[in-house]
């Protein structure tokens, strides 16, 4: 099982991160280790080696069949379910890595950094490219997004990634975070919503 993730896929988040509105020339793809996966409502333990761990709420797509070099027009056949996930980021380590042109594996792929909610079959929705999702922390909404605002759409991402990696059943794709990221602290209670469904709930320790 591989975990793919997309950076800088919402224009307002790019301004939040870099102070400018822009679309990357191509999708920004990175991976997380399989030990990053955190599911079933288990608590997230904030690592003591980072001074700032931020939540990044994202729509996550589940790959359902083997595929390589998938044409974009067929990409919708290769995923069957979606949910809300959290791409936890050690922001202090990421800043240093970006400044030095270094890889993101530590700041993005550490244990527990890929939280996943309950899957919802994509057929439950009229259009996966028009889904609203949001994150509540301690009962207050802190981040909201809509998949219609993605710079690179889901089918584009599936097709692009499959040029370089063979997609397999069970692989995950975190599709990018909208504006509104921020830090978590011990005892925070997080709830992720996909339209009217609460699909994610866990605590920080």
């Amino acid at each position: 099982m591989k975990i793919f993730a997309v950076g800088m896929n919402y224009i307002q988040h790019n301004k939040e991160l870099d102070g400018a509105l822009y679309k990357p020339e191509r999708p920004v793809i990175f991976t997380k280790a399989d030990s990053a996966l955190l599911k079933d409502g288990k608590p997230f333990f904030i690592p003591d080696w980072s001074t700032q761990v931020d939540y990044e709420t994202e729509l996550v797509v589940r790959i359902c069949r083997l595929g390589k070099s998938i044409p974009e027009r067929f990409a919708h056949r290769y995923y069957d379910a979606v949910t809300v996930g959290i791409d936890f980021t050690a922001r202090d380590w990421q800043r240093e890595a970006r400044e030095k042109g270094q890889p993101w594996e530590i700041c993005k792929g550490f244990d527990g950094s890929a939280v996943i909610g309950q899957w919802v079959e994509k057929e439950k929705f009229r259009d996966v490219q028009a889904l609203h999702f949001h994150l509540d922390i301690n009962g207050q909404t802190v981040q909201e997004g809509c998949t219609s605002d993605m710079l690179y759409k889901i089918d584009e991402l599936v097709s692009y990634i499959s040029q370089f990696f063979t997609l397999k059943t069970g692989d995950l794709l975190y599709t990018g975070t909208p504006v509104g990221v921020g830090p978590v602290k011990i005892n925070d209670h997080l709830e992720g919503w996909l339209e009217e469904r609460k699909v994610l709930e866990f605590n920080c320790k």
Side-chain angles (χ1 to χ4, degrees):
M1 187 269 291
K2 301 183 292 299
I3 303 173
F4 299 100
V6 184
M8 296 170 279
N9 201 29
Y10 287 80
I11 199 164
Q12 291 295 334
H13 172 62
N14 296 348
K15 182 177 181 180
E16 173 182 57
L17 194 64
D18 292 326
L21 298 172
Y22 67 94
K23 179 179 180 178
E25 293 183 6
R26 60 179 65 91
V28 177
I29 306 299
F30 59 95
T31 61
K32 289 174 174 271
D34 57 4
S35 58
L37 191 64
L38 185 66
K39 58 184 181 178
D40 301 327
K42 294 179 181 178
F44 170 68
F45 290 89
I46 300 173
D48 56 10
W49 44 261
S50 175
T51 60
Q52 181 183 344
V53 175
D54 284 0
Y55 58 81
E56 296 189 8
T57 313
E58 312 195 4
L59 185 87
V60 186
V61 172
R62 183 176 69 190
I63 301 300
C64 64
R65 59 191 293 189
L66 185 72
K68 174 69 175 175
S69 299
I70 302 165
E72 185 179 328
R73 67 184 183 278
F74 297 138
H76 66 278
R77 301 178 181 177
Y78 289 81
Y79 56 94
D80 63 351
V82 296
T83 190
V84 172
I86 306 293
D87 166 22
F88 277 119
T89 304
R91 193 68 70 196
D92 51 338
W93 283 65
Q94 187 190 41
R95 290 192 192 100
E96 182 177 348
R98 295 185 77 193
E99 289 171 359
K100 296 180 179 179
Q102 295 176 345
W104 289 12
E105 272 78 5
I106 292 177
C107 67
K108 285 285 194 177
F110 60 91
D111 288 354
S113 62
V115 188
I116 198 77
Q118 298 172 346
W119 294 107
V120 182
E121 293 180 1
K122 71 176 184 180
E123 283 73 18
K124 299 287 186 182
F125 304 105
R126 182 180 59 83
D127 184 0
V128 295
Q129 212 59 69
L131 293 176
H132 293 83
F133 57 96
H134 70 271
L135 176 69
D136 293 351
I137 297 183
N138 304 325
Q140 299 294 320
T141 299
V142 296
Q143 191 175 21
E144 300 177 83
C146 182
T147 57
S148 63
D149 294 328
M150 288 179 179
L151 297 174
Y152 291 98
K153 308 305 183 186
I154 296 170
D155 290 355
E156 291 179 87
L157 295 170
V158 170
S159 176
Y160 180 78
I161 292 170
S162 74
Q163 295 178 43
F164 311 99
F165 302 91
T166 298
L167 298 180
K168 296 183 177 182
T169 300
D171 287 350
L172 307 180
L173 172 58
Y174 284 67
T175 57
T177 192
V179 68
V181 304
V184 290
K185 60 183 185 300
I186 292 174
N187 295 325
D188 277 348
H189 181 69
L190 281 69
E191 297 171 296
W193 296 77
L194 181 57
E195 296 290 349
E196 75 284 355
R197 295 172 170 87
K198 182 165 70 173
V199 294
L200 180 67
E201 185 171 12
F202 66 101
N203 295 310
C204 292
K205 300 290 187 179

